[in-house]
Amino acid sequence: MLIGVPKEIKVREYRVGLVPANVHELVSHGHQVLVETGAGAGIGADDAQYQAAGATIVATAQEIFERAGLIVKIKEPQAVERRCLKPGQILFTYLHLAPDAEQTHDLIESGASCIAYETVSADNGRLPLLEPMSAVAGRLAIQAGAHFLEKTHGGSGILLGGVVGVEPAKVTVIGGGVVGMNAVDVALGMGASVTVLDRNVDTLHGLRKHFGTPLNTVYSTATTIAQHCMNADLVIGAVLVTGATAPRLITRDLVKRMKPGSVIVDVAIDQGGCCETSRPTTHDAPTFVLDGVIHYCVANMPGSVPRTSTYALNNVTLPYVLALADKGLSALREDKHLLDGLNIHLGKVTNQAVAAAHGLAYCDALTALGTA
């Protein structure tokens, strides 16, 4: 198969779909790989390294979209890229369609087969292609929160870990999954006073067992969320419902009652955000202030540490990329977990949560593939 890797064009997105080592693996399987010039610059991989791995360097993304049967990216295709997609192509990338009606309708119109990293599943309910970026985002969330708590960046002027004789910042983490666990890890390591809320008691038990008594674990309800957000200096929104729009757990009224100069880092913004006042921001303009509360809602947080993020993601995507390259869409029929990643195929929406989010007809993925 001819595989294409375009350069990412989202604002301040420096990651790349394939690293040179994974290009070499694909070439060793008899496939051809096209890489847009400069695609790997953000991770320190130049064109010569891709050529040494067996890739062909092309001058424009347009050539990749015209020729490639499988396109491997990182972020959702931007409008100009979506216009280049066509029937018969396979797109493998993060999509986050539930909060994005425009992208959803464009991908339906394209006729391409669109597979989302974030809905590929595993036997134990894990999301193996989302986890590495969730881990990165959770850790970055604390770094970003600590930065914007500084008075020079608009915050209340609190050092996250405090010092002897001065209490540390209070951090509230809503959601105890991969994002939440990594946020807790960094926040505790920096000396903050940390509380995590979740509706799964087993998750709370696991976090307490892992981190011990320094971590406060609280069952999540509207009342406890309100209590802990109002007391917090930093709130991390780490909520996920697979493929669906994130639930709005932090209300507009609650934001008004939070401390002036406190910070919300809404990691769930890729799926619409878990705070009613959140809206997507970029690395160029990462925050806005509403009711005295700083909102950090960057939709591609891991793009700021592209080397770490790209290699972590490539470690887990390679087997799936190889399967798609070797078998095409038959790989979906043979692997129910990869099949869960199929969100759109030949104009049909094959993910129930995405269909429900936009009021569109849902078609079972196997049924849709049967029409190919």
Side-chain angles (χ1 to χ4, degrees):
M1 184 177 284
L2 184 58
I3 301 145
V5 183
K7 185 176 181 179
E8 296 292 327
I9 60 173
K10 189 164 182 152
V11 175
R12 300 282 183 178
E13 182 51 71
Y14 302 108
R15 291 172 288 178
V16 62
L18 291 174
V19 297
N22 286 8
V23 168
H24 178 73
E25 292 291 322
L26 287 160
V27 171
S28 298
H29 278 239
H31 303 293
Q32 294 177 274
V33 182
L34 303 179
V35 176
E36 184 181 357
T37 184
I43 66 164
D46 60 23
D47 291 352
Q49 289 174 270
Y50 280 101
Q51 287 175 314
T56 299
I57 303 299
V58 299
T60 66
Q62 184 176 356
E63 184 173 351
I64 287 172
F65 282 97
E66 286 176 352
R67 296 175 57 190
L70 170 61
I71 296 170
V72 181
K73 280 177 43 62
I74 295 287
K75 287 306 293 177
E76 72 278 0
Q78 304 301 289
V80 65
E81 296 173 311
R82 299 194 294 266
R83 289 193 289 270
C84 296
L85 290 167
K86 56 192 176 183
Q89 281 184 322
I90 301 172
L91 173 66
F92 195 32
T93 189
Y94 287 114
L95 293 175
H96 299 290
L97 293 177
D100 193 342
E102 182 179 350
Q103 184 195 177
T104 301
H105 287 287
D106 284 352
L107 294 183
I108 290 170
E109 289 295 319
S110 75
S113 301
C114 305
I115 305 169
Y117 293 155
E118 72 271 12
T119 61
V120 173
S121 64
D123 275 333
N124 54 5
R126 290 174 45 243
L127 301 172
L129 306 191
L130 184 61
E131 285 181 358
M133 297 305 92
S134 294
V136 170
R139 303 180 86 77
L140 281 174
I142 300 300
Q143 290 185 196
H147 178 77
F148 287 103
L149 276 174
E150 295 174 16
K151 195 69 173 179
T152 49
H153 298 113
S156 57
I158 293 178
L159 182 65
L160 203 69
V163 292
V164 173
V166 182
E167 66 179 0
K170 295 180 175 63
V171 177
T172 293
V173 180
I174 305 175
V178 178
V179 171
M181 184 175 186
N182 279 272
V184 166
D185 189 21
V186 174
L188 287 174
M190 293 178 73
S193 174
V194 186
T195 298
V196 62
L197 297 95
D198 200 281
R199 293 185 70 87
N200 187 320
V201 175
D202 289 338
T203 296
L204 294 176
H205 274 298
L207 290 167
R208 172 54 70 87
K209 183 177 181 180
H210 183 82
F211 292 108
T213 53
L215 176 64
N216 304 308
T217 57
V218 175
Y219 186 78
S220 180
T221 66
T223 299
T224 56
I225 288 172
Q227 289 172 344
H228 288 278
C229 284
M230 285 189 291
N231 288 328
D233 300 297
L234 171 59
V235 175
I236 307 297
V239 181
L240 175 69
V241 179
T242 305
T245 303
R248 297 297 182 92
L249 301 180
I250 303 171
T251 65
R252 184 177 297 272
D253 179 66
L254 176 54
V255 171
K256 292 178 181 178
R257 293 184 285 156
M258 288 176 62
K259 295 179 183 178
S262 60
V263 178
I264 296 171
V265 179
D266 196 343
V267 184
I269 195 65
D270 266 339
Q271 293 295 136
C274 64
C275 178
E276 281 188 345
T277 50
S278 291
R279 56 175 171 79
T281 61
T282 68
H283 289 292
D284 281 346
T287 65
F288 61 91
V289 179
L290 190 63
D291 294 319
V293 177
I294 298 170
H295 293 60
Y296 180 99
C297 307
V298 175
N300 60 328
M301 289 175 65
S304 65
V305 286
R307 187 171 177 83
T308 297
S309 298
T310 296
Y311 280 94
L313 183 59
N314 268 247
N315 289 342
V316 294
T317 56
L318 179 60
Y320 300 96
V321 175
L322 282 170
L324 289 167
D326 289 343
K327 304 173 184 177
L329 293 176
S330 293
L332 301 175
R333 298 184 181 94
E334 296 177 13
D335 183 346
K336 65 180 181 179
H337 299 304
L338 183 55
L339 182 67
D340 284 339
L342 186 66
N343 280 210
I344 293 174
H345 174 68
L346 290 179
K348 297 179 175 64
V349 180
T350 55
N351 180 284
Q352 279 187 307
V354 172
H358 300 298
L360 298 169
Y362 163 72
C363 180
D364 175 78
L366 282 177
T367 301
L369 288 170
T371 67

